Amino acid sequence: MPIVKSVSRAVNQLLQSSGCGCGISVVPIRCLGISPRQVASDASFHSVSFSESDHPRVLITGGLGQLGVGLAKLLRKRFGKNNVILSDIRKPADNVFYSGPFIYSDILDYKNLREIVVNNRITWLFHYSALLSAVGEANVPLARAVNITGLHNVLDIAAEHNLRLFVPSTIGAFGPTSPRDPTPDLCIQRPRTIYGVSKVHAELMGEYYHYRYGLDFRCLRYPGVISADSQPGGGTTDYAVQIFHDAIKTGKFQCNLKPDTRLPMMYIDDCLKATLEVMEAPAEALSMRTYNISAMSFTPEELAQEVQKHVPELKVTYSVDVVRQAIADSWPMNFDDSNARKDWGWKHDYDLPELVTTMFSFLGSDSRIAQAN
């Protein structure tokens, strides 16, 4: 088929240029007006299929965020250290750098990202690069570039190279007109943050690429995720991490949400477990491409009461951040994750008491906690 072969050669030639003469970097397949699947089936490179290797070759973008390092650790235990590449645009800490393969990867640089996938024979891609809710509202142009333009690059590369792609979504993908208690998988979604809008966009584009090009796209809507080994990163639910650090360091905590603000939450181990489970689930078991997952739902007041069982002298005050409160008031109070539990057997391990006990055990005890116990 000379026409197809000539198209393939044209793609390879275009990859050596900086774009299409319009002053910006443009994905070659878009310039040619052909589908990613068409290029993938005829291009000269070789993409490793799952039957040709014992384990997937994994790339994690935005890997230095809250979830990336923990996910890399989990996947390396399962698939081998050298089969999981962590990437970001920031310099990693020494313990992260020496724990396994790490490379620089800018998702806005299409050519660099494509080279990484080809050179490392990537078969699974976890796309964690994103600006979170409160940070995104402070810099909408940057959030639009990272969360939307970066996603487009990832989708095209994943479709072109027949990757299995995971993109996390969020409670922020819902808005004030969505049902809040509980929020089902399928309902009206009209978020009012650039973060939420970009995540709805990711859900729909991933589903479109699945049906249009056969992309193996998988997505989970995360609740607020709580972990002990990362600092709060600008999310609306980050108060639920900050309270533990403040309880240990100062014995005082000022919450930026109202005490009765109920939101769905999850301990990071449950979150990572769910992510691996949905990626390993047989395609025929998935009735949809985006699922809610949850473990518990609580308010700042309920969390503070549980924390005070370990640190009785903890003083909690409230100074409401208007922006964060408005965001939280538009989000679900409880997630309906019955489809995930039915389709691929999702089951959480941590409720609120277990979460609090585990957080303190990881963060370490000082005299206040020792005395309390």
Side-chain angles (χ1 to χ4, degrees):
M1 299 179 66
I3 295 177
V4 173
K5 290 182 179 178
S6 65
V7 167
S8 179
R9 286 196 296 270
V11 171
N12 289 328
Q13 291 171 1
L14 277 170
L15 286 173
Q16 304 305 316
S17 67
S18 59
C20 293
C22 52
I24 58 174
S25 176
V26 180
V27 178
I29 56 176
R30 295 180 189 146
C31 301
L32 293 171
I34 58 180
S35 73
R37 174 65 67 190
Q38 183 179 347
V39 175
S41 62
D42 294 290
S44 59
F45 57 79
H46 176 67
S47 181
V48 175
S49 66
F50 296 114
S51 61
E52 293 173 321
S53 60
D54 293 331
H55 297 299
R57 294 277 297 171
V58 179
L59 174 66
I60 303 172
T61 66
L64 297 183
Q66 182 186 23
L67 296 173
V69 174
L71 180 64
K73 183 178 180 180
L74 176 66
L75 296 178
R76 284 166 179 166
K77 285 183 179 178
R78 190 166 188 85
F79 302 132
K81 183 173 74 171
N82 292 326
N83 283 322
V84 180
I85 301 173
L86 201 61
S87 73
D88 210 307
I89 59 172
R90 295 182 289 136
K91 181 180 178 181
D94 286 348
N95 65 305
V96 174
F97 183 78
Y98 292 110
S99 64
F102 179 91
I103 57 175
Y104 173 90
S105 176
D106 181 355
I107 61 167
L108 297 179
D109 185 339
Y110 174 86
K111 183 178 179 181
N112 171 252
L113 187 60
R114 189 178 190 274
E115 287 174 347
I116 291 170
V117 168
V118 172
N119 291 342
N120 294 282
R121 300 181 298 114
I122 299 300
T123 55
W124 284 15
L125 198 160
F126 293 82
H127 178 53
Y128 278 103
S129 297
L131 263 66
L132 301 183
S133 54
V135 174
E137 290 305 290
N139 194 338
V140 172
L142 180 60
R144 187 176 61 229
V146 173
N147 294 10
I148 296 179
T149 304
L151 170 79
H152 291 178
N153 288 341
V154 167
L155 284 170
D156 280 337
I157 289 170
E160 183 180 345
H161 295 275
N162 197 28
L163 308 185
R164 182 171 295 184
L165 174 64
F166 178 85
V167 179
S169 190
T170 167
I171 57 174
F174 298 98
T177 54
S178 304
R180 298 186 66 210
D181 191 15
T183 303
D185 285 302
L186 299 176
C187 65
I188 189 170
Q189 293 177 255
R190 290 295 185 272
R192 293 182 177 176
T193 67
I194 185 61
Y195 177 57
V197 169
S198 69
K199 286 303 184 181
V200 174
H201 180 79
E203 294 175 14
L204 295 177
M205 286 295 290
E207 188 170 320
Y208 171 75
Y209 268 58
H210 171 67
Y211 290 110
R212 179 67 175 82
Y213 303 124
L215 174 64
D216 191 352
F217 172 83
R218 305 180 183 210
C219 178
L220 296 178
R221 293 193 189 104
Y222 292 154
V225 179
I226 301 173
S227 63
D229 56 358
S230 64
Q231 294 295 322
T236 300
T237 59
D238 278 350
Y239 83 88
V241 177
Q242 189 66 53
I243 188 173
F244 294 98
H245 293 277
D246 291 354
I248 290 176
K249 292 178 181 178
T250 67
K252 297 178 181 179
F253 171 65
Q254 185 177 84
C255 183
N256 53 30
L257 295 181
K258 295 177 181 178
D260 61 349
T261 305
R262 183 171 299 279
L263 294 169
M265 299 283 188
M266 173 178 285
Y267 184 58
I268 188 170
D269 284 10
D270 275 339
C271 181
L272 298 178
K273 182 182 77 166
T275 302
L276 178 57
E277 286 179 356
V278 77
M279 281 294 276
E280 290 189 317
E284 59 270 19
L286 305 178
S287 64
M288 56 187 64
R289 288 286 149 174
T290 299
Y291 290 89
N292 293 341
I293 55 165
S294 190
M296 66 195 87
S297 184
F298 56 75
T299 66
E301 186 175 42
E302 290 170 348
L303 176 59
Q305 290 172 354
E306 194 66 35
V307 170
Q308 286 168 336
K309 294 179 182 178
H310 297 257
V311 186
E313 66 273 28
L314 173 66
K315 304 298 182 184
V316 179
T317 58
Y318 296 89
S319 178
V320 176
D321 181 297
V322 176
V323 173
R324 281 179 168 83
Q325 187 64 50
I327 293 171
D329 288 342
S330 72
W331 283 357
M333 300 169 65
N334 285 287
F335 257 165
D336 177 359
D337 61 358
S338 56
N339 285 314
R341 296 176 186 269
K342 172 174 61 71
D343 286 1
W344 44 275
W346 161 239
K347 183 180 180 181
H348 70 277
D349 293 325
Y350 292 84
D351 289 318
L352 181 56
E354 291 85 1
L355 180 148
V356 172
T357 300
T358 303
M359 285 291 289
F360 279 126
S361 69
F362 273 100
L363 288 172
S365 61
D366 63 6
S367 58
R368 287 192 299 276
I369 298 177
Q371 292 169 3
N373 290 337

